[in-house]
Amino acid sequence: MVKIIMHGCSGHMGQVITGLVKEDPDAEIVAGIDIRDNGTNEYPVFQNIWDCDVEADAVIDFASAKAEDALIDYCVEKKLPVVVCTTGLSEEQLAKIREASLKVAVLKSANMSLGINTLFKLVQDAAKVLAEAGFDIEIVEKHHKHKVDAPSGTALALADSINEAMGNAYTYTYDRSQRREERDPKEIGISAVRGGSIVGEHEVIFAGTDEVIEFKHTAYSKAVFGKGAVQAAKFLKGKGPGYYDMRDVIRAQQ
Protein backbone atom coordinates (compact mmCIF):
# COMPACT_ATOMS: atom_id res chain seq x y z
CA MET A 1 0.00 0.00 0.00
CA VAL A 2 1.42 3.38 -1.02
CA LYS A 3 0.27 6.42 0.95
CA ILE A 4 0.02 9.52 -1.23
CA ILE A 5 -0.20 13.26 -0.63
CA MET A 6 -2.07 14.84 -3.56
CA HIS A 7 -0.59 18.27 -4.34
CA GLY A 8 -3.26 20.20 -6.24
CA CYS A 9 -6.04 17.92 -5.04
CA SER A 10 -8.94 20.22 -5.99
CA GLY A 11 -7.83 20.68 -9.60
CA HIS A 12 -9.11 18.56 -12.46
CA MET A 13 -6.24 16.07 -12.41
CA GLY A 14 -6.24 16.01 -8.62
CA GLN A 15 -9.86 14.89 -8.68
CA VAL A 16 -9.21 12.37 -11.47
CA ILE A 17 -6.44 10.80 -9.39
CA THR A 18 -8.61 10.90 -6.26
CA GLY A 19 -11.22 8.83 -8.11
CA LEU A 20 -8.64 6.38 -9.46
CA VAL A 21 -7.01 5.81 -6.07
CA LYS A 22 -10.39 5.23 -4.44
CA GLU A 23 -10.73 2.13 -6.63
CA ASP A 24 -7.12 0.98 -6.14
CA PRO A 25 -6.55 -1.44 -3.23
CA ASP A 26 -2.79 -0.77 -3.34
CA ALA A 27 -2.94 3.02 -2.93
CA GLU A 28 -4.47 5.59 -0.59
CA ILE A 29 -4.50 9.39 -0.60
CA VAL A 30 -3.85 10.40 3.00
CA ALA A 31 -3.82 14.19 2.51
CA GLY A 32 -4.33 16.87 -0.08
CA ILE A 33 -2.74 20.27 -0.66
CA ASP A 34 -4.72 23.05 -2.34
CA ILE A 35 -5.64 26.69 -1.77
CA ARG A 36 -9.30 25.65 -1.99
CA ASP A 37 -11.15 22.65 -0.62
CA ASN A 38 -14.19 21.50 -2.58
CA GLY A 39 -15.49 19.69 0.49
CA THR A 40 -15.92 16.33 -1.25
CA ASN A 41 -12.56 14.75 -0.48
CA GLU A 42 -12.39 11.95 2.07
CA TYR A 43 -8.95 13.06 3.25
CA PRO A 44 -7.77 16.23 5.04
CA VAL A 45 -6.90 19.17 2.77
CA PHE A 46 -4.24 21.73 3.77
CA GLN A 47 -4.02 25.18 2.20
CA ASN A 48 -0.39 25.55 3.28
CA ILE A 49 1.85 22.58 2.54
CA TRP A 50 3.93 23.28 5.66
CA ASP A 51 0.85 22.60 7.80
CA CYS A 52 0.66 19.04 6.45
CA ASP A 53 1.97 16.66 9.11
CA VAL A 54 0.50 13.44 7.66
CA GLU A 55 2.86 10.51 7.14
CA ALA A 56 3.12 9.47 3.49
CA ASP A 57 5.25 7.49 1.03
CA ALA A 58 5.14 9.94 -1.91
CA VAL A 59 3.64 13.14 -3.27
CA ILE A 60 1.87 13.41 -6.63
CA ASP A 61 2.17 16.97 -7.93
CA PHE A 62 -0.46 18.25 -10.38
CA ALA A 63 -0.65 21.88 -9.28
CA SER A 64 0.35 25.38 -10.34
CA ALA A 65 3.93 26.23 -11.17
CA LYS A 66 3.62 29.00 -8.57
CA ALA A 67 3.45 26.36 -5.85
CA GLU A 68 6.40 24.28 -7.09
CA ASP A 69 9.21 25.88 -5.09
CA ALA A 70 7.46 25.36 -1.74
CA LEU A 71 6.64 21.77 -2.70
CA ILE A 72 10.24 20.90 -3.55
CA ASP A 73 11.52 22.51 -0.35
CA TYR A 74 8.95 20.53 1.65
CA CYS A 75 9.82 17.21 -0.01
CA VAL A 76 13.54 17.74 0.54
CA GLU A 77 13.06 18.59 4.22
CA LYS A 78 10.68 15.65 4.80
CA LYS A 79 12.76 13.28 2.61
CA LEU A 80 9.54 12.57 0.73
CA PRO A 81 9.66 11.17 -2.84
CA VAL A 82 7.74 13.27 -5.37
CA VAL A 83 6.14 12.66 -8.76
CA VAL A 84 6.35 16.01 -10.59
CA CYS A 85 3.54 16.36 -13.15
CA THR A 86 3.10 20.14 -13.07
CA THR A 87 3.88 21.83 -16.40
CA GLY A 88 5.03 25.33 -17.32
CA LEU A 89 7.97 25.26 -14.92
CA SER A 90 10.77 27.78 -15.36
CA GLU A 91 14.36 26.80 -16.09
CA GLU A 92 15.23 27.81 -12.53
CA GLN A 93 12.54 25.51 -11.15
CA LEU A 94 13.66 22.63 -13.34
CA ALA A 95 17.22 23.13 -12.09
CA LYS A 96 15.92 23.15 -8.50
CA ILE A 97 14.11 19.86 -9.09
CA ARG A 98 17.30 18.32 -10.50
CA GLU A 99 19.23 19.52 -7.46
CA ALA A 100 16.55 18.14 -5.13
CA SER A 101 16.97 14.69 -6.71
CA LEU A 102 20.39 14.52 -5.06
CA LYS A 103 18.61 14.44 -1.70
CA VAL A 104 15.27 12.77 -2.43
CA ALA A 105 13.67 10.57 -5.11
CA VAL A 106 12.14 12.64 -7.91
CA LEU A 107 10.23 11.34 -10.93
CA LYS A 108 9.48 13.72 -13.77
CA SER A 109 8.28 12.96 -17.29
CA ALA A 110 6.96 15.10 -20.13
CA ASN A 111 3.96 12.77 -20.25
CA MET A 112 2.77 10.41 -17.52
CA SER A 113 0.99 7.97 -19.85
CA LEU A 114 2.42 4.45 -19.80
CA GLY A 115 1.51 4.15 -23.49
CA ILE A 116 3.42 7.26 -24.53
CA ASN A 117 6.47 6.21 -22.57
CA THR A 118 6.39 2.81 -24.25
CA LEU A 119 6.20 4.70 -27.56
CA PHE A 120 9.45 6.52 -26.71
CA LYS A 121 11.26 3.19 -26.75
CA LEU A 122 9.49 1.94 -29.89
CA VAL A 123 10.41 5.00 -31.97
CA GLN A 124 14.01 4.81 -30.79
CA ASP A 125 14.26 1.22 -32.00
CA ALA A 126 12.54 2.13 -35.27
CA ALA A 127 14.81 5.12 -35.89
CA LYS A 128 17.94 3.01 -35.59
CA VAL A 129 16.72 0.96 -38.55
CA LEU A 130 14.63 3.36 -40.62
CA ALA A 131 16.55 6.62 -40.24
CA GLU A 132 19.74 4.80 -41.14
CA ALA A 133 17.93 3.60 -44.27
CA GLY A 134 17.10 7.18 -45.30
CA PHE A 135 13.54 7.50 -43.99
CA ASP A 136 12.40 11.05 -43.20
CA ILE A 137 10.91 11.68 -39.75
CA GLU A 138 7.88 13.83 -38.99
CA ILE A 139 5.88 14.28 -35.78
CA VAL A 140 2.30 15.56 -35.72
CA GLU A 141 0.66 16.38 -32.39
CA LYS A 142 -2.98 17.36 -31.79
CA HIS A 143 -4.51 18.94 -28.68
CA HIS A 144 -7.62 20.84 -27.59
CA LYS A 145 -8.14 24.47 -28.56
CA HIS A 146 -7.29 25.74 -25.06
CA LYS A 147 -3.70 24.44 -25.05
CA VAL A 148 -1.50 27.51 -25.38
CA ASP A 149 1.96 26.01 -25.90
CA ALA A 150 3.11 24.42 -29.15
CA PRO A 151 4.64 22.05 -29.89
CA SER A 152 3.66 19.94 -26.91
CA GLY A 153 6.25 18.79 -24.41
CA THR A 154 5.48 15.22 -25.41
CA ALA A 155 6.17 15.93 -29.09
CA LEU A 156 9.52 17.43 -28.15
CA ALA A 157 10.27 14.45 -25.90
CA LEU A 158 9.52 12.08 -28.80
CA ALA A 159 11.86 14.06 -31.02
CA ASP A 160 14.52 14.03 -28.30
CA SER A 161 14.17 10.25 -27.92
CA ILE A 162 14.73 9.73 -31.64
CA ASN A 163 17.57 12.22 -31.75
CA GLU A 164 19.25 10.56 -28.78
CA ALA A 165 19.10 7.18 -30.54
CA MET A 166 20.72 8.78 -33.59
CA GLY A 167 23.58 10.44 -31.75
CA ASN A 168 21.89 13.86 -31.62
CA ALA A 169 22.57 14.36 -35.33
CA TYR A 170 19.15 15.88 -36.11
CA THR A 171 17.75 19.42 -35.96
CA TYR A 172 14.07 20.28 -35.45
CA THR A 173 11.86 22.20 -37.87
CA TYR A 174 8.60 23.76 -36.65
CA ASP A 175 7.52 25.93 -39.58
CA ARG A 176 8.25 25.50 -43.28
CA SER A 177 5.98 28.31 -44.49
CA GLN A 178 8.91 30.68 -45.13
CA ARG A 179 11.19 28.05 -46.66
CA ARG A 180 11.49 27.22 -50.36
CA GLU A 181 13.90 24.34 -50.26
CA GLU A 182 13.98 20.58 -50.05
CA ARG A 183 13.78 19.17 -46.53
CA ASP A 184 17.06 18.37 -44.85
CA PRO A 185 17.45 14.59 -44.38
CA LYS A 186 18.82 15.33 -40.92
CA GLU A 187 15.76 17.19 -39.64
CA ILE A 188 12.70 16.14 -37.65
CA GLY A 189 9.60 18.10 -38.57
CA ILE A 190 7.18 18.84 -35.73
CA SER A 191 3.65 20.09 -36.48
CA ALA A 192 0.97 21.19 -34.00
CA VAL A 193 -2.82 21.07 -34.43
CA ARG A 194 -5.18 22.82 -31.98
CA GLY A 195 -8.92 22.32 -32.01
CA GLY A 196 -12.04 21.18 -30.21
CA SER A 197 -11.63 18.97 -27.17
CA ILE A 198 -8.81 16.69 -28.38
CA VAL A 199 -7.16 15.36 -25.22
CA GLY A 200 -3.91 14.42 -26.91
CA GLU A 201 -2.75 12.66 -30.05
CA HIS A 202 0.84 12.08 -31.15
CA GLU A 203 1.91 10.51 -34.41
CA VAL A 204 5.46 9.72 -35.48
CA ILE A 205 5.86 9.21 -39.23
CA PHE A 206 8.81 7.49 -40.89
CA ALA A 207 8.47 8.25 -44.60
CA GLY A 208 10.66 6.35 -47.02
CA THR A 209 10.64 5.66 -50.74
CA ASP A 210 7.40 3.83 -51.58
CA GLU A 211 6.56 3.04 -47.95
CA VAL A 212 5.50 4.83 -44.78
CA ILE A 213 5.50 3.54 -41.20
CA GLU A 214 3.45 5.35 -38.56
CA PHE A 215 3.40 5.11 -34.76
CA LYS A 216 0.41 6.73 -33.10
CA HIS A 217 -0.82 7.26 -29.54
CA THR A 218 -4.25 8.70 -28.72
CA ALA A 219 -5.39 9.71 -25.24
CA TYR A 220 -9.19 9.65 -24.97
CA SER A 221 -9.28 11.04 -21.43
CA LYS A 222 -6.90 12.55 -18.90
CA ALA A 223 -7.33 9.43 -16.78
CA VAL A 224 -4.37 7.87 -18.63
CA PHE A 225 -2.09 10.51 -17.13
CA GLY A 226 -3.53 9.93 -13.67
CA LYS A 227 -3.01 6.18 -13.90
CA GLY A 228 0.61 6.73 -14.84
CA ALA A 229 1.11 9.12 -11.91
CA VAL A 230 -0.25 6.56 -9.45
CA GLN A 231 2.04 3.88 -10.90
CA ALA A 232 4.93 6.30 -10.53
CA ALA A 233 4.08 6.91 -6.85
CA LYS A 234 4.08 3.14 -6.24
CA PHE A 235 7.45 2.91 -7.98
CA LEU A 236 8.97 5.68 -5.81
CA LYS A 237 7.89 4.18 -2.49
CA GLY A 238 11.04 3.44 -0.52
CA LYS A 239 13.37 4.82 -3.21
CA GLY A 240 16.43 6.80 -2.21
CA PRO A 241 17.67 9.98 -3.89
CA GLY A 242 17.66 9.93 -7.68
CA TYR A 243 16.08 11.38 -10.82
CA TYR A 244 13.64 9.04 -12.55
CA ASP A 245 11.14 9.12 -15.41
CA MET A 246 8.27 6.92 -16.57
CA ARG A 247 10.63 4.72 -18.57
CA ASP A 248 12.09 3.59 -15.25
CA VAL A 249 8.58 2.64 -14.12
CA ILE A 250 8.05 0.60 -17.28
CA ARG A 251 11.41 -1.15 -16.93
CA ALA A 252 10.55 -2.08 -13.35
CA GLN A 253 7.35 -3.76 -14.55
CA GLN A 254 9.07 -5.89 -17.20
CSV table of all heavy atoms in Angstrom, one decimal, residues 101-137:
chain,number,residue,atom,x,y,z
A,101,SER,N,16.9,16.1,-6.5
A,101,SER,CA,17.0,14.7,-6.7
A,101,SER,C,18.3,14.1,-6.1
A,101,SER,O,18.4,12.9,-6.0
A,101,SER,CB,16.9,14.4,-8.2
A,101,SER,OG,18.1,14.8,-8.9
A,102,LEU,N,19.2,15.0,-5.7
A,102,LEU,CA,20.4,14.5,-5.1
A,102,LEU,C,20.1,14.2,-3.6
A,102,LEU,O,20.9,13.5,-2.9
A,102,LEU,CB,21.5,15.6,-5.1
A,102,LEU,CG,21.9,16.0,-6.5
A,102,LEU,CD1,22.9,17.2,-6.5
A,102,LEU,CD2,22.5,14.8,-7.3
A,103,LYS,N,18.9,14.6,-3.1
A,103,LYS,CA,18.6,14.4,-1.7
A,103,LYS,C,17.4,13.6,-1.5
A,103,LYS,O,17.1,13.1,-0.4
A,103,LYS,CB,18.4,15.8,-1.0
A,103,LYS,CG,19.6,16.7,-1.1
A,103,LYS,CD,19.3,18.1,-0.6
A,103,LYS,CE,20.5,19.0,-0.7
A,103,LYS,NZ,20.2,20.4,-0.3
A,104,VAL,N,16.5,13.5,-2.5
A,104,VAL,CA,15.3,12.8,-2.4
A,104,VAL,C,14.9,12.2,-3.8
A,104,VAL,O,15.4,12.7,-4.8
A,104,VAL,CB,14.2,13.7,-1.9
A,104,VAL,CG1,13.8,14.8,-2.9
A,104,VAL,CG2,12.9,13.0,-1.5
A,105,ALA,N,14.1,11.2,-3.8
A,105,ALA,CA,13.7,10.6,-5.1
A,105,ALA,C,12.7,11.5,-5.8
A,105,ALA,O,11.7,11.9,-5.2
A,105,ALA,CB,13.0,9.2,-4.9
A,106,VAL,N,13.0,11.8,-7.1
A,106,VAL,CA,12.1,12.6,-7.9
A,106,VAL,C,11.9,11.9,-9.2
A,106,VAL,O,12.8,11.4,-9.9
A,106,VAL,CB,12.8,14.0,-8.2
A,106,VAL,CG1,12.0,14.8,-9.2
A,106,VAL,CG2,13.1,14.8,-6.9
A,107,LEU,N,10.6,11.9,-9.6
A,107,LEU,CA,10.2,11.3,-10.9
A,107,LEU,C,9.5,12.4,-11.7
A,107,LEU,O,8.6,13.0,-11.3
A,107,LEU,CB,9.3,10.1,-10.8
A,107,LEU,CG,9.1,9.3,-12.1
A,107,LEU,CD1,8.9,7.9,-11.8
A,107,LEU,CD2,7.8,9.9,-12.8
A,108,LYS,N,10.1,12.7,-12.9
A,108,LYS,CA,9.5,13.7,-13.8
A,108,LYS,C,9.5,13.2,-15.2
A,108,LYS,O,10.5,12.8,-15.7
A,108,LYS,CB,10.2,15.1,-13.7
A,108,LYS,CG,9.5,16.2,-14.4
A,108,LYS,CD,10.2,17.5,-14.3
A,108,LYS,CE,9.4,18.6,-14.9
A,108,LYS,NZ,9.0,18.3,-16.3
A,109,SER,N,8.4,13.3,-15.9
A,109,SER,CA,8.3,13.0,-17.3
A,109,SER,C,7.5,14.0,-18.0
A,109,SER,O,6.6,14.6,-17.5
A,109,SER,CB,7.6,11.6,-17.5
A,109,SER,OG,8.5,10.5,-17.2
A,110,ALA,N,7.7,14.2,-19.3
A,110,ALA,CA,7.0,15.1,-20.1
A,110,ALA,C,5.5,14.6,-20.2
A,110,ALA,O,4.6,15.4,-20.4
A,110,ALA,CB,7.6,15.2,-21.5
A,111,ASN,N,5.3,13.3,-20.1
A,111,ASN,CA,4.0,12.8,-20.3
A,111,ASN,C,3.9,11.6,-19.3
A,111,ASN,O,4.8,10.7,-19.3
A,111,ASN,CB,3.7,12.4,-21.7
A,111,ASN,CG,2.3,12.0,-22.0
A,111,ASN,OD1,1.7,11.1,-21.3
A,111,ASN,ND2,1.7,12.6,-23.0
A,112,MET,N,2.9,11.5,-18.5
A,112,MET,CA,2.8,10.4,-17.5
A,112,MET,C,2.1,9.1,-18.1
A,112,MET,O,2.0,8.1,-17.3
A,112,MET,CB,2.0,10.9,-16.3
A,112,MET,CG,2.6,12.1,-15.6
A,112,MET,SD,4.3,11.8,-15.1
A,112,MET,CE,4.1,10.4,-13.9
A,113,SER,N,1.6,9.2,-19.3
A,113,SER,CA,1.0,8.0,-19.9
A,113,SER,C,2.0,6.8,-20.0
A,113,SER,O,3.1,7.0,-20.6
A,113,SER,CB,0.4,8.3,-21.2
A,113,SER,OG,0.2,7.2,-22.0
A,114,LEU,N,1.6,5.6,-19.6
A,114,LEU,CA,2.4,4.5,-19.8
A,114,LEU,C,2.6,4.2,-21.3
A,114,LEU,O,3.6,3.7,-21.8
A,114,LEU,CB,1.8,3.3,-19.1
A,114,LEU,CG,1.9,3.3,-17.5
A,114,LEU,CD1,1.0,2.2,-16.9
A,114,LEU,CD2,3.3,3.2,-17.0
A,115,GLY,N,1.5,4.4,-22.0
A,115,GLY,CA,1.5,4.2,-23.5
A,115,GLY,C,2.5,5.0,-24.2
A,115,GLY,O,3.3,4.6,-25.0
A,116,ILE,N,2.5,6.3,-23.9
A,116,ILE,CA,3.4,7.3,-24.5
A,116,ILE,C,4.9,6.9,-24.2
A,116,ILE,O,5.8,6.9,-25.1
A,116,ILE,CB,3.1,8.7,-24.1
A,116,ILE,CG1,2.0,9.3,-25.0
A,116,ILE,CG2,4.4,9.6,-24.2
A,116,ILE,CD1,2.5,9.6,-26.4
A,117,ASN,N,5.1,6.5,-23.0
A,117,ASN,CA,6.5,6.2,-22.6
A,117,ASN,C,7.0,4.9,-23.2
A,117,ASN,O,8.1,4.7,-23.4
A,117,ASN,CB,6.6,6.2,-21.0
A,117,ASN,CG,6.6,7.6,-20.5
A,117,ASN,OD1,7.7,8.3,-20.5
A,117,ASN,ND2,5.5,8.2,-20.1
A,118,THR,N,6.0,4.0,-23.5
A,118,THR,CA,6.4,2.8,-24.3
A,118,THR,C,6.7,3.2,-25.7
A,118,THR,O,7.6,2.7,-26.3
A,118,THR,CB,5.3,1.8,-24.2
A,118,THR,OG1,5.0,1.4,-22.9
A,118,THR,CG2,5.6,0.5,-25.0
A,119,LEU,N,6.0,4.2,-26.2
A,119,LEU,CA,6.2,4.7,-27.6
A,119,LEU,C,7.6,5.3,-27.7
A,119,LEU,O,8.2,5.2,-28.8
A,119,LEU,CB,5.1,5.7,-27.9
A,119,LEU,CG,5.2,6.3,-29.3
A,119,LEU,CD1,5.0,5.2,-30.4
A,119,LEU,CD2,4.1,7.4,-29.5
A,120,PHE,N,8.1,6.0,-26.7
A,120,PHE,CA,9.4,6.5,-26.7
A,120,PHE,C,10.5,5.4,-27.1
A,120,PHE,O,11.3,5.7,-28.0
A,120,PHE,CB,9.8,7.1,-25.3
A,120,PHE,CG,9.2,8.4,-25.0
A,120,PHE,CD1,8.9,8.7,-23.6
A,120,PHE,CD2,8.8,9.3,-25.9
A,120,PHE,CE1,8.3,9.9,-23.3
A,120,PHE,CE2,8.1,10.5,-25.6
A,120,PHE,CZ,7.9,10.8,-24.3
A,121,LYS,N,10.3,4.3,-26.5
A,121,LYS,CA,11.3,3.2,-26.8
A,121,LYS,C,11.0,2.6,-28.2
A,121,LYS,O,12.0,2.3,-28.9
A,121,LYS,CB,11.1,2.1,-25.7
A,121,LYS,CG,12.0,0.9,-25.9
A,121,LYS,CD,13.4,1.2,-25.7
A,121,LYS,CE,14.3,0.0,-25.6
A,121,LYS,NZ,14.3,-0.9,-26.7
A,122,LEU,N,9.8,2.5,-28.6
A,122,LEU,CA,9.5,1.9,-29.9
A,122,LEU,C,10.1,2.8,-31.0
A,122,LEU,O,10.6,2.3,-32.0
A,122,LEU,CB,8.0,1.8,-30.1
A,122,LEU,CG,7.3,0.7,-29.2
A,122,LEU,CD1,5.8,0.8,-29.4
A,122,LEU,CD2,7.8,-0.7,-29.5
A,123,VAL,N,9.9,4.1,-30.9
A,123,VAL,CA,10.4,5.0,-32.0
A,123,VAL,C,11.9,5.1,-32.0
A,123,VAL,O,12.5,5.3,-33.0
A,123,VAL,CB,9.8,6.4,-31.9
A,123,VAL,CG1,8.3,6.3,-32.1
A,123,VAL,CG2,10.1,7.1,-30.6
A,124,GLN,N,12.5,4.9,-30.8
A,124,GLN,CA,14.0,4.8,-30.8
A,124,GLN,C,14.5,3.6,-31.6
A,124,GLN,O,15.4,3.7,-32.4
A,124,GLN,CB,14.5,4.7,-29.3
A,124,GLN,CG,14.5,6.1,-28.6
A,124,GLN,CD,15.3,6.0,-27.3
A,124,GLN,OE1,15.2,5.0,-26.6
A,124,GLN,NE2,16.1,7.0,-27.0
A,125,ASP,N,13.9,2.5,-31.3
A,125,ASP,CA,14.3,1.2,-32.0
A,125,ASP,C,14.0,1.4,-33.5
A,125,ASP,O,14.8,0.9,-34.3
A,125,ASP,CB,13.5,0.0,-31.4
A,125,ASP,CG,13.9,-0.3,-30.0
A,125,ASP,OD1,15.0,0.1,-29.6
A,125,ASP,OD2,13.1,-1.0,-29.3
A,126,ALA,N,12.9,2.0,-33.9
A,126,ALA,CA,12.5,2.1,-35.3
A,126,ALA,C,13.5,3.1,-36.0
A,126,ALA,O,14.0,2.8,-37.1
A,126,ALA,CB,11.1,2.7,-35.4
A,127,ALA,N,13.9,4.1,-35.3
A,127,ALA,CA,14.8,5.1,-35.9
A,127,ALA,C,16.2,4.5,-36.2
A,127,ALA,O,16.8,4.8,-37.3
A,127,ALA,CB,15.0,6.3,-35.0
A,128,LYS,N,16.6,3.6,-35.4
A,128,LYS,CA,17.9,3.0,-35.6
A,128,LYS,C,18.0,2.2,-36.9
A,128,LYS,O,19.0,2.1,-37.5
A,128,LYS,CB,18.3,2.1,-34.4
A,128,LYS,CG,18.6,2.9,-33.1
A,128,LYS,CD,18.8,1.9,-32.0
A,128,LYS,CE,19.0,2.7,-30.7
A,128,LYS,NZ,19.1,1.8,-29.5
A,129,VAL,N,16.8,1.7,-37.3
A,129,VAL,CA,16.7,1.0,-38.5
A,129,VAL,C,16.3,1.9,-39.7
A,129,VAL,O,17.0,1.9,-40.7
A,129,VAL,CB,15.7,-0.2,-38.4
A,129,VAL,CG1,15.5,-0.9,-39.8
A,129,VAL,CG2,16.1,-1.2,-37.3
A,130,LEU,N,15.2,2.6,-39.5
A,130,LEU,CA,14.6,3.4,-40.6
A,130,LEU,C,15.4,4.6,-41.0
A,130,LEU,O,15.6,4.9,-42.1
A,130,LEU,CB,13.2,3.7,-40.3
A,130,LEU,CG,12.3,2.4,-40.0
A,130,LEU,CD1,10.9,2.9,-39.6
A,130,LEU,CD2,12.2,1.6,-41.3
A,131,ALA,N,15.8,5.4,-39.9
A,131,ALA,CA,16.6,6.6,-40.2
A,131,ALA,C,17.9,6.3,-40.9
A,131,ALA,O,18.3,7.0,-41.9
A,131,ALA,CB,16.8,7.4,-39.0
A,132,GLU,N,18.5,5.2,-40.5
A,132,GLU,CA,19.7,4.8,-41.1
A,132,GLU,C,19.5,4.4,-42.6
A,132,GLU,O,20.4,4.5,-43.4
A,132,GLU,CB,20.3,3.6,-40.4
A,132,GLU,CG,20.9,4.0,-39.0
A,132,GLU,CD,22.2,4.7,-39.1
A,132,GLU,OE1,22.7,4.9,-40.2
A,132,GLU,OE2,22.8,5.1,-38.1
A,133,ALA,N,18.3,4.0,-42.9
A,133,ALA,CA,17.9,3.6,-44.3
A,133,ALA,C,17.4,4.8,-45.1
A,133,ALA,O,17.0,4.6,-46.2
A,133,ALA,CB,16.9,2.5,-44.2
A,134,GLY,N,17.5,6.0,-44.5
A,134,GLY,CA,17.1,7.2,-45.3
A,134,GLY,C,15.7,7.6,-45.1
A,134,GLY,O,15.2,8.5,-45.9
A,135,PHE,N,14.9,7.1,-44.2
A,135,PHE,CA,13.5,7.5,-44.0
A,135,PHE,C,13.5,8.9,-43.4
A,135,PHE,O,14.3,9.2,-42.5
A,135,PHE,CB,12.8,6.5,-43.1
A,135,PHE,CG,12.3,5.3,-43.7
A,135,PHE,CD1,13.2,4.4,-44.3
A,135,PHE,CD2,11.0,5.0,-43.8
A,135,PHE,CE1,12.8,3.2,-44.9
A,135,PHE,CE2,10.5,3.8,-44.4
A,135,PHE,CZ,11.4,2.9,-45.0
A,136,ASP,N,12.6,9.7,-43.8
A,136,ASP,CA,12.4,11.1,-43.2
A,136,ASP,C,11.5,10.9,-42.0
A,136,ASP,O,10.6,10.0,-41.9
A,136,ASP,CB,11.8,12.0,-44.2
A,136,ASP,CG,12.7,12.3,-45.4
A,136,ASP,OD1,13.9,12.5,-45.2
A,136,ASP,OD2,12.2,12.3,-46.5
A,137,ILE,N,11.6,11.8,-41.0
A,137,ILE,CA,10.9,11.7,-39.8
A,137,ILE,C,10.1,12.9,-39.5
A,137,ILE,O,10.6,14.1,-39.5
A,137,ILE,CB,11.9,11.5,-38.6
A,137,ILE,CG1,12.8,10.3,-38.8
A,137,ILE,CG2,11.1,11.3,-37.3
A,137,ILE,CD1,14.0,10.2,-37.9
